[in-house]
Amino acid sequence: MEMSNKPLQKLNIFSAKGVQMRTFHLTWMAFFLCFFGWFGLAPLMTVVKTDLGLTKGQIGNIIIASVAATIIARIAVGKLCDSWGPRKTYTALLGICSIPVMTVGLVHSYEGFLLFRLAIGVIGASFVVTQYHTSVMFDKKIVGTANAVAGGWGNLGGGVTNMVMPLIFAGFIGAGYLPESAWRLAMIVPGIALFIFAFVYYFYTKDTPAGNFDELPESTQNSTVKVKGTMTMAMKDPRTWALFLAYGACFGIEITFDNIAALYFFENFNATLAVAGILAGTFGFMNLFARALGGIVADKVGLKYGMLGKGRLLALLLALEGIGIALFAQSSTLTIAVISMLCFAMFLKMANGVTYAIVPFVNQKAIGSVSGIVGAGGNVGAVLAGFLFKSSSISYAQAFVYIGVAIACVAAIVALVNFDKIRTTVPESNTLETANS
């Protein structure tokens, strides 16, 4: 029997009691596994590059493909969360996307690999479901922290992947397989995990604290859950697009760095494949606390200074991130590069958390659509950054400098937006509190 059918006002990360906390833990775990499938190939790209004979330009196209499909997928999935429900949406996403993850090893050409990387990229839409699901399970006072912790722990998969996939690869090498076979077999592991978790998510979560969409009274569905025109509502609000830009400048760069970090350390500082993977993994590992810290600080700033304060905090973090990336690009030694990476990673991941501490308040009846558009912004940022890394006329270091400047410009735009127009008090019957509507 569930303890309560209302959104929780506290986040007890050591508890799995009640549908809210059970859903919280399962949603970040699902997102964590999605990162394994999404970026499992990234730390193995040096092997794939040799096996398929890829050029720098082709690797750039592959990086772009890995995040491009997610743009459309996130918008579509956000709409599905509003209408179909997060439980069914996540289940379908996990099940369908497990197929290209498991079967990417069947390709033997650049073109085939590119298409599979595009298909696997759809799984990045999982983030939208994660943020939607935590948004409806927690009260407005704590929703920023809940979103940041769930998102951060899920993003942690990007760091763990960089560390674990080379070990899985090494395991197959130890079993007697050649490198060109080992990377293909290694990808079956995250694919199977995704397929199994689709069933876990379906049977052990609910759409809202009050129950699944199809179990709620029709009046409740019409007034608080299933609202028509949510995409139009989200698109008409300029704050949605300000957050779209902001997320492109923080999360967009995060997934770009997840894709390129191991290769960058391997080629620029002559690190071994294992060391490059560990260093790249350290960047992702900061999600264990950094994104959550952003959400916690945002909730506290919001209580004292309102949404305007949250907006200013986001602008400041983006500015510091841009400066940090530019300094990272100038690093002359591996030690300096790692130190500067850790600094800009802190600001970047905190900015991720702050962005989604604002998202649930832009429009209470279109949380999924707003979350989808803003989430897609992250991937637009990654695609644009990918074109820089694809270019044959500029080095990876120069690309990071350009990215730092672009982020500083986005910070200036965000600083000018009046987020204070967002209401900080919410009616009793809304999507965050569906139980008593």
Side-chain angles (χ1 to χ4, degrees):
M1 183 173 177
E2 305 298 354
M3 292 178 64
S4 169
N5 62 354
K6 293 183 179 181
L8 293 184
Q9 296 190 6
K10 277 187 172 182
L11 175 65
N12 182 1
I13 60 173
F14 299 107
S15 170
K17 209 169 184 181
V19 66
Q20 300 93 331
M21 288 309 303
R22 187 170 68 243
T23 299
F24 168 82
H25 286 297
L26 288 177
T27 196
W28 76 255
M29 287 177 189
F31 189 35
F32 182 97
L33 288 177
C34 286
F35 253 93
F36 251 88
W38 194 8
F39 290 105
L41 287 162
L44 306 178
M45 277 307 294
T46 51
V47 180
V48 177
K49 178 183 177 182
T50 303
D51 182 25
L52 300 181
L54 302 175
T55 66
K56 182 186 176 186
Q58 288 174 333
I59 291 175
N61 288 336
I62 289 164
I63 291 171
I64 292 168
S66 70
V67 294
T70 319
I71 297 170
I72 298 170
R74 284 190 170 186
I75 294 172
V77 162
K79 184 71 175 67
L80 278 175
C81 284
D82 283 330
S83 57
W84 201 28
R87 172 173 154 266
K88 289 179 181 176
T89 303
Y90 224 149
T91 298
L93 192 65
L94 288 163
I96 292 169
C97 290
S98 69
I99 298 169
V101 174
M102 281 189 280
T103 57
V104 65
L106 297 175
V107 303
H108 291 275
S109 68
Y110 157 67
E111 291 79 11
F113 190 79
L114 185 70
L115 288 173
F116 266 84
R117 208 66 187 93
L118 192 68
I120 291 172
V122 172
I123 207 168
S126 55
F127 170 74
V128 175
V129 197
T130 295
Q131 297 296 278
Y132 182 99
H133 225 164
T134 46
S135 290
V136 298
M137 289 293 172
F138 292 89
D139 184 83
K140 56 186 170 56
K141 296 175 184 176
I142 195 70
V143 70
T145 301
N147 276 348
V149 174
W153 288 2
N155 281 357
L156 185 62
V160 175
T161 299
N162 272 303
M163 295 179 175
V164 172
M165 286 305 288
L167 297 179
I168 295 174
F169 169 79
F172 282 108
I173 293 290
Y177 291 95
L178 295 172
E180 52 266 32
S181 298
W183 75 261
R184 300 168 190 276
L185 293 169
M187 286 302 292
I188 296 174
V189 177
I192 291 173
L194 288 167
F195 186 77
I196 293 171
F197 213 80
F199 291 94
V200 174
Y201 207 86
Y202 184 82
F203 289 110
Y204 291 97
T205 67
K206 289 187 179 295
D207 290 321
T208 74
N212 294 320
F213 280 13
D214 51 10
E215 297 170 351
L216 296 173
E218 193 65 34
S219 58
T220 303
Q221 290 185 27
N222 291 337
S223 62
T224 63
V225 181
K226 295 184 179 180
V227 181
K228 292 183 179 180
T230 57
M231 186 59 66
T232 304
M233 291 182 208
M235 292 179 73
K236 284 183 176 179
D237 197 320
R239 293 163 297 183
T240 300
W241 298 106
L243 294 173
F244 174 94
L245 288 174
Y247 209 56
C250 51
F251 184 72
I253 305 310
E254 175 172 0
I255 55 180
T256 299
F257 200 81
D258 280 334
N259 255 326
I260 203 72
L263 193 60
Y264 184 77
F265 286 124
F266 180 81
E267 293 187 350
N268 282 47
F269 298 102
N270 297 316
T272 64
L273 185 64
V275 170
I278 290 171
L279 293 176
T282 304
F283 173 82
F285 236 90
M286 291 182 69
N287 278 306
L288 187 63
F289 61 91
R291 184 167 184 146
L293 181 61
I296 292 167
V297 173
D299 279 341
K300 292 187 180 300
V301 168
L303 286 173
K304 192 168 184 180
Y305 300 105
M307 289 297 156
L308 186 63
K310 283 188 179 182
R312 296 289 186 268
L313 173 63
L314 178 57
L316 174 63
L317 289 170
L318 288 172
L320 292 172
E321 176 201 341
I323 294 168
I325 289 177
L327 292 174
F328 168 78
Q330 306 302 314
S331 301
S332 56
T333 67
L334 184 59
T335 302
I336 295 173
V338 171
I339 293 171
S340 56
M341 176 191 75
L342 295 177
C343 290
F344 87 72
M346 174 64 78
F347 301 128
L348 180 155
K349 293 169 193 295
M350 284 184 70
N352 285 339
V354 175
T355 302
Y356 272 83
I358 299 173
V359 163
F361 299 96
V362 173
N363 192 313
Q364 297 287 314
K365 294 186 182 295
I367 294 175
S369 294
V370 174
S371 184
I373 292 171
V374 174
N379 290 82
V380 170
V383 167
L384 294 175
F387 279 109
L388 288 174
F389 289 105
K390 175 190 171 183
S391 173
S392 58
S393 60
I394 62 172
S395 67
Y396 284 172
Q398 288 173 314
F400 280 124
V401 172
Y402 295 149
I403 286 170
V405 173
I407 293 171
C409 292
V410 171
I413 294 171
V414 172
L416 295 172
V417 175
N418 182 14
F419 287 101
D420 211 24
K421 290 191 296 180
I422 302 173
R423 291 187 325 199
T424 54
T425 57
V426 191
E428 285 300 312
S429 61
N430 57 56
T431 48
L432 293 181
E433 297 184 41
T434 55
N436 294 330
S437 46

